[in-house]
Amino acid sequence: MGFAPEFLAQPMSEGSTLSIGVPIGASILVFAWVMTGIYVRRANNEFDPINQKILEDAHK
Amino acid sequence: MKYSRILSATSAVLFMGLISVNFAVAGGAIEGEVEKQPVNMAAIVMFLLFVVVTLGITYWAARRTKSAKDFYTAGGGITGFQNGLAIAGDYMSAATLLGVSGLVFARGYDGFIYTIGFLVGWPIILFLMAERLRNLGKYTFADIVSFRLEQAPIRTLAASGALAVVILYLIAQMVGAGKLIQLLFGLDYAYAVFLVGILMMVYVTFGGMIATTWVQIIKACLLLGGGTLMALLAMSQFGFNLETLATKAVEVHKDGFKLMGPGSLLADPISAISLGLALMFGTAGLPHILMRFFTVTDAKEARKSVFFATGFVGYFFMVVCIIGLSAIVIVGTDSQFLTADGKLIGGNNMAAMHLAKAVGGNLFLGFISAVAFATILAVVSGLALAGASAISHDLYASVFKKGKATEQQEIRVSKIATLGLGMTAIVLGILFEEQNIAFMVGLAFGIAGSANFPVLILSMYWRGLTTKGAFYGGYIGLFTALALVVLSPTIWVSILGFEEAIFPYKHPALFSMTAAFFSIWAISKIDKSRQAAAEAARFDNQLVRSQTGLGAEGAAAH
């Protein structure tokens, strides 16, 4: 926003009032959330079992 | 005019109650005097309903709260989804609803950028912390910091950081709540503050963390529901078409097309960075947020709660932006909401309240007011519990009794501490009635970011941290933040009345956090004692536990 304010202020298309910044902003929000989701899924379904295995091995 | 007074006082309340937004919007949110009001029946009925339901929950929670673990962490049995809602509830105060929508109302796209910065920052921080917090902690964040360091000094430091934040935040909330109730109920300010203080004490002493969490969850649902409903009602006037809404908004707003692009919000880079740091890292050092990570079953649920919280907060921000944009068209062009010179009655932060009235009438306005009040109650309860556990678990059980207190004694002390904090909050709330307290929330965030956060994060990630480094560095951070706020324009000029501020910026975080991190690092490096070596040696143990959950606190079996 500090770097290219004009870019974000461009209209989305000819005759449109919403600027291109609106969908970009919205997708950043959604993107952050989706990334969170991906991390949580992987951590819970892949990393934790590995972790569990290490713990079990260590106890042997 | 009764309606406008309710609004201006509500705006005063929310102005003080809320973090970020006041930082960004330069002043001018409170206009008009706050006076006792004749009643808004709809608001009172809905608020009473909320109180009855939450007291019922407290009764139910009290019967389930038996051990210290139940009291501090709801038995560790909260699910990720529930905790996500509760954390989101801690973030989404009614003031977010009003403040961010006010920002969008005044500046358009800038308000949106603001929410993006806020939302994108905190999952990163939370991922750095959530899992390790859950694996290392028991009841308070001091448990983690003192995991391998010396108990007494470190717990004292952590508890003073926590208490400073809790008390500052409590005062701001109490004064705000007092003024809001005073307006909605026509009660004297003092009675209103008593009412909030007593309800808070009841929730926390009897229901502990279980009640506190459920009150927060209910409030989060109310706020999400109310916000969504308002956005839908408003959008129905534009045929649910965002493009139509934007076109109309640009037509009627004085900035015209500039509304849709970034403006001058972050014009001063130092203030912007400082504010950003305080928001991101301060939040990660707020004791009442940190303690929520001890209430979930395990690290898995801790991660999930970050996911749900991010989703709810992100959704809420988008809803709020729609509300702000709709307000430009619906409220900004309606003369009943404007003063003679074309400004919004009660200031820009009232945009959402006016919109509630415009789209849903007095009944809906009453509902939103009641939700605003419920929010404050939920937040003060969390704060009181966080403060009480710092006193009982850290100061009493670990420092004063050197870990020899029984669980019963510890619970008793934390209940007494809750009553003490409630009393203190009431007294301070009354003393500060006439004071300008807008700086207090900012100061609370500054301290959280400059004392609690550096010590906490370094204790988890840096082997070289020693007791001396954490102790002195933490206090340096705390006092630097305090001193810089006193010397800043907010207190030095506005309250003490000097001509020019010694410290030119409103937000101290950039400087006080640097001071804290640097002094913790430097003192730890200089510290070559045997104790320091032993502490570094214990890091491996801690690292394994933080990463794997080996030996972590489990959920209580119920």
Side-chain angles (χ1 to χ4, degrees):
Chain A
M1 63 200 104
F3 308 104
E6 306 78 20
F7 171 72
L8 287 177
Q10 281 171 18
M12 256 199 306
S13 58
E14 221 30 56
S16 155
T17 322
L18 283 177
S19 71
I20 198 162
V22 173
I24 289 182
S27 38
I28 295 176
L29 286 185
V30 174
F31 179 74
W33 186 55
V34 169
M35 289 308 284
T36 320
I38 293 174
Y39 170 75
V40 171
R41 263 191 96 83
R42 289 205 55 184
N44 286 354
N45 298 331
E46 291 177 37
F47 305 152
D48 270 7
I50 301 174
N51 185 3
Q52 199 54 41
K53 197 156 168 293
I54 296 172
L55 283 181
E56 278 160 20
D57 288 349
H59 277 301
K60 274 177 194 161
Chain B
M1 189 179 148
K2 140 186 163 189
Y3 170 64
S4 74
R5 280 209 194 119
I6 292 184
L7 288 179
S8 53
T10 322
S11 91
V13 171
L14 297 155
F15 180 76
M16 296 174 277
L18 241 244
I19 347 166
S20 39
V21 177
N22 339 332
F23 292 170
V25 188
I30 312 173
E31 286 161 32
E33 77 275 33
V34 170
E35 263 177 39
K36 258 209 312 188
Q37 280 306 307
V39 276
N40 176 343
M41 272 318 283
I44 292 185
V45 170
M46 281 182 263
F47 169 66
L48 285 181
L49 201 66
F50 176 82
V51 170
V52 169
V53 170
T54 49
L55 285 178
I57 287 176
T58 309
Y59 177 72
W60 165 79
R63 298 177 44 167
R64 296 186 14 149
T65 303
K66 297 188 187 82
S67 64
K69 195 172 177 61
D70 293 330
F71 184 80
Y72 290 126
T73 66
I78 302 287
T79 67
F81 179 76
Q82 292 163 346
N83 195 42
L85 260 179
I87 295 175
D90 277 325
Y91 278 84
M92 309 179 298
S93 55
T96 316
L97 173 73
L98 303 195
V100 175
S101 58
L103 201 59
V104 174
F105 177 80
R107 312 234 204 160
Y109 191 70
D110 269 354
F112 192 40
I113 288 186
Y114 192 80
T115 66
I116 296 172
F118 189 49
L119 189 83
V120 173
W122 74 278
I124 301 170
I125 302 299
L126 289 181
F127 278 124
L128 282 177
M129 304 180 61
E131 185 176 343
R132 296 184 179 210
L133 281 177
R134 180 62 192 84
N135 282 337
L136 289 173
K138 198 175 170 197
Y139 300 148
T140 63
F141 77 91
D143 290 336
I144 298 157
V145 183
S146 64
F147 193 87
R148 65 190 163 101
L149 305 181
E150 201 187 327
Q151 293 288 322
I154 293 300
R155 284 201 188 257
T156 316
L157 164 76
S160 22
L163 285 172
V165 172
V166 163
I167 288 177
L168 288 167
Y169 221 116
L170 262 182
I171 296 174
Q173 298 281 340
M174 286 305 261
V175 175
K179 296 204 165 154
L180 181 60
I181 295 208
Q182 177 185 20
L183 280 144
L184 291 177
F185 290 72
L187 276 177
D188 271 343
Y189 177 86
Y191 291 121
V193 168
F194 267 107
L195 183 66
V196 180
I198 287 167
L199 276 174
M200 168 185 102
M201 289 191 265
V202 170
Y203 291 151
V204 177
T205 12
F206 292 108
M209 191 59 172
I210 303 180
T212 310
T213 304
W214 281 101
V215 168
Q216 192 61 270
I217 291 176
I218 294 176
K219 167 233 129 173
C221 294
L222 284 175
L223 198 56
L224 283 168
T228 308
L229 188 58
M230 199 195 311
L232 286 178
L233 286 171
M235 282 303 279
S236 70
Q237 304 200 1
F238 305 99
F240 295 100
N241 184 339
L242 201 58
E243 180 68 40
T244 321
L245 170 60
T247 315
K248 288 224 170 116
V250 168
E251 270 169 27
V252 300
H253 198 273
K254 63 173 170 25
D255 288 345
F257 195 73
K258 271 193 258 163
L259 200 59
M260 289 289 135
S264 56
L265 180 64
L266 302 175
D268 168 10
I270 295 196
S271 289
I273 294 173
S274 209
L275 166 69
L277 286 175
L279 282 180
M280 276 165 60
F281 299 109
T283 325
L286 292 178
H288 62 295
I289 304 254
L290 292 173
M291 89 185 163
R292 296 224 168 271
F293 287 103
F294 308 131
T295 65
V296 287
T297 345
D298 50 24
K300 211 175 227 178
E301 296 298 319
R303 289 188 206 112
K304 278 194 208 162
S305 54
V306 175
F307 169 69
F308 287 117
T310 314
F312 287 127
V313 176
Y315 167 77
F316 184 67
F317 277 160
M318 290 202 211
V319 166
V320 163
C321 289
I322 292 179
I323 291 175
L325 200 57
S326 320
I328 295 178
V329 183
I330 299 174
V331 175
T333 56
D334 189 336
S335 60
Q336 69 163 312
F337 302 120
L338 301 175
T339 58
D341 50 353
K343 292 223 177 81
L344 204 58
I345 293 173
N348 284 338
N349 282 1
M350 295 326 299
M353 286 307 221
H354 291 304
L355 186 69
K357 166 141 186 187
V359 299
N362 264 330
L363 192 67
F364 194 53
L365 174 70
F367 173 69
I368 295 292
S369 311
V371 170
F373 184 69
T375 294
I376 294 177
L377 257 187
V379 173
V380 292
S381 306
L383 285 167
L385 184 58
S389 46
I391 293 176
S392 63
H393 184 63
D394 297 332
L395 291 181
Y396 171 76
S398 304
V399 178
F400 183 63
K401 283 280 198 174
K402 312 228 179 305
K404 296 208 179 63
T406 66
E407 203 168 283
Q408 253 50 45
Q409 284 174 318
E410 201 178 315
I411 299 186
R412 206 176 66 232
V413 171
S414 59
K415 292 191 170 176
I416 297 171
T418 310
L419 297 180
L421 277 172
M423 245 66 109
T424 315
I426 291 172
V427 172
L428 291 177
I430 290 170
L431 286 180
F432 279 87
E433 180 184 354
E434 304 299 335
Q435 303 294 315
N436 175 0
I437 55 159
F439 69 92
M440 280 188 182
V441 177
L443 181 56
F445 268 71
I447 291 178
S450 317
N452 305 356
F453 174 74
V455 174
L456 182 59
I457 198 89
L458 288 177
S459 77
M460 291 195 286
Y461 282 88
W462 186 41
R463 181 186 302 268
L465 179 73
T466 71
T467 299
K468 287 201 182 71
F471 184 74
Y472 293 110
Y475 276 116
I476 289 174
L478 202 163
F479 287 111
T480 316
L482 193 64
L484 289 183
V485 169
V486 172
L487 298 179
S488 79
T490 356
I491 295 189
W492 201 253
V493 179
S494 311
I495 294 177
L496 299 178
F498 288 95
E499 286 278 309
E500 213 166 303
I502 298 176
F503 176 71
Y505 306 105
K506 272 190 186 165
H507 313 297
L510 180 60
F511 303 92
S512 54
M513 275 180 72
T514 317
F517 273 109
F518 178 77
S519 44
I520 294 174
W521 172 78
I523 297 170
S524 295
K525 278 285 179 196
I526 297 168
D527 186 5
K528 297 282 179 214
S529 62
R530 190 177 299 165
Q531 189 196 347
E535 284 161 3
R538 285 198 289 270
F539 184 75
D540 290 325
N541 231 335
Q542 178 194 343
L543 187 70
V544 170
R545 173 162 165 177
S546 73
Q547 299 275 26
T548 64
L550 181 63
E553 289 288 317
H558 275 292

